[in-house]
Amino acid sequence: MAVSTKLWVAVLIVLVLAQTAASVLMPRGDTLTIASDLIQGTLLLVATAAFLPNTARSRCPTSHIRFFWILMSVGMLFWLTYQGMSWIYFEVIKRQEVPDPYLGDIVLFLHVVPMIAALAVLPHLREGERDERIRMLDFTLLLIWWVFVYVYTVIPWQTVQIDEAFYDANLKNAYMTENVAFLVALAVLAYTARGGWRHVYGQLFGAYALYASTSYVANHAILQKAYFSGSFYDIGLAISVAWMAAAPLLALRLDLSDTKPSQPVLGVWVTRLSMLALFSLIWAALHAELNPALPRPVKTFRINVSLLTMVVMGIVIFWRQRLLRAELSLFLERS
């Protein structure tokens, strides 16, 4: 193990032990809150920095592998931004609780989107002659759909008809759905990959499974008014973040150039999911219209959001299909 890697690991272990000691030994109060927020913020900063060396062009044999690590780094950066923007800003600097509902929760929700898009790059497969614009449109479709999910399920109870209970419940359900989607994708890729990539996917799956389960328990405690910064729930969260940081450190020691040939089945699933996402907007609009329990302002808001998103996604899909046709024409000319 290189000296730099040992230093990364040592820092992660120290931060996890510091969080454990604070949660076990310190009584509930402002001191525990400040200590816990600063430790977790530092841990996320170190974890985000751990992903960056893999984005270096010298360590990435192909551009799509480099794009994978860039997207993972962006997801970690969103996560770090949320931690600093909400918990550290409110609880450490302003010495007050994070507001509920809180507009900044969308940053936490969206931090998983670049990571899901990173998996859609399929870095363990050999790079084909794909137009980079098509990859960006795939990412755009994922981003639009997950933003729609958040706006459709959570925002109405924050702006249209404020209801803290509905807001917290819908936010928890939407976030857990997103986490499950990410874990399922990781499990599929870990099963289909080989060599170094199987280890990377496996480490990411284990780390994020621990985070998702701990986060679910912590969110339940928040609903029961039993959670506070520095509580025992934060120990599991700290371990999961440190484990996430271990995955890119492990990747630095693995040979990730041994990739498999492109698999058409995995290569077309993004297109099929894009079409499924577009059709899901129709169901969302109908569900809002036919649900008698929804207040009229919420119903109107959800229908309008569904129709607007349908138009935007339709334009992106149309442009994506146009690029695919141009790509197919090029392949035919070469053959």
Side-chain angles (χ1 to χ4, degrees), residues 54-70 121-128 132 135 197 255-260:
N54 287 284
T55 64
R57 195 176 294 272
S58 60
R59 296 186 181 275
C60 299
T62 56
S63 61
H64 73 306
I65 294 179
R66 183 168 181 262
F67 192 42
F68 167 82
W69 290 113
I70 289 176
V121 173
L122 303 176
H124 66 286
L125 300 180
R126 292 175 189 168
E127 185 177 25
E132 291 291 339
R135 287 182 185 159
W197 280 111
D255 180 14
L256 301 182
S257 60
D258 183 18
T259 53
K260 298 169 59 178

Side-chain angles (χ1 to χ4, degrees), residues 70-91:
I70 289 176
L71 288 174
M72 291 296 297
S73 301
V74 171
M76 294 299 298
L77 183 60
F78 278 16
W79 200 354
L80 171 63
T81 301
Y82 174 79
Q83 177 69 23
M85 184 175 60
S86 57
W87 299 100
I88 293 179
Y89 175 73
F90 284 103
E91 293 189 337

Side-chain angles (χ1 to χ4, degrees), residues 246-263:
L249 296 177
L250 174 65
L252 293 174
R253 303 171 54 220
L254 297 174
D255 180 14
L256 301 182
S257 60
D258 183 18
T259 53
K260 298 169 59 178
S262 298
Q263 298 178 359

Side-chain angles (χ1 to χ4, degrees), residues 157 161 166 287-299 302:
W157 310 110
Q161 185 162 321
F166 277 116
H287 179 267
E289 176 62 31
L290 300 177
N291 188 353
L294 282 180
R296 173 51 62 178
V298 175
K299 182 177 298 189
R302 286 186 168 179

Side-chain angles (χ1 to χ4, degrees), residues 24-61:
V24 173
L25 301 177
M26 298 178 66
R28 181 175 182 178
D30 291 341
T31 304
L32 175 60
T33 298
I34 294 173
S36 180
D37 287 342
L38 291 178
I39 291 172
Q40 292 188 43
T42 305
L43 187 57
L44 273 170
L45 177 62
V46 174
T48 303
F51 279 83
L52 296 179
N54 287 284
T55 64
R57 195 176 294 272
S58 60
R59 296 186 181 275
C60 299

Side-chain angles (χ1 to χ4, degrees), residues 83-118:
Q83 177 69 23
M85 184 175 60
S86 57
W87 299 100
I88 293 179
Y89 175 73
F90 284 103
E91 293 189 337
V92 177
I93 299 177
K94 299 191 70 174
R95 302 294 180 90
Q96 67 183 50
E97 293 185 357
V98 178
D100 188 22
Y102 176 49
L103 189 61
D105 286 336
I106 191 173
V107 179
L108 176 66
F109 180 83
L110 291 180
H111 91 88
V112 190
V113 177
M115 296 182 178
I116 296 177

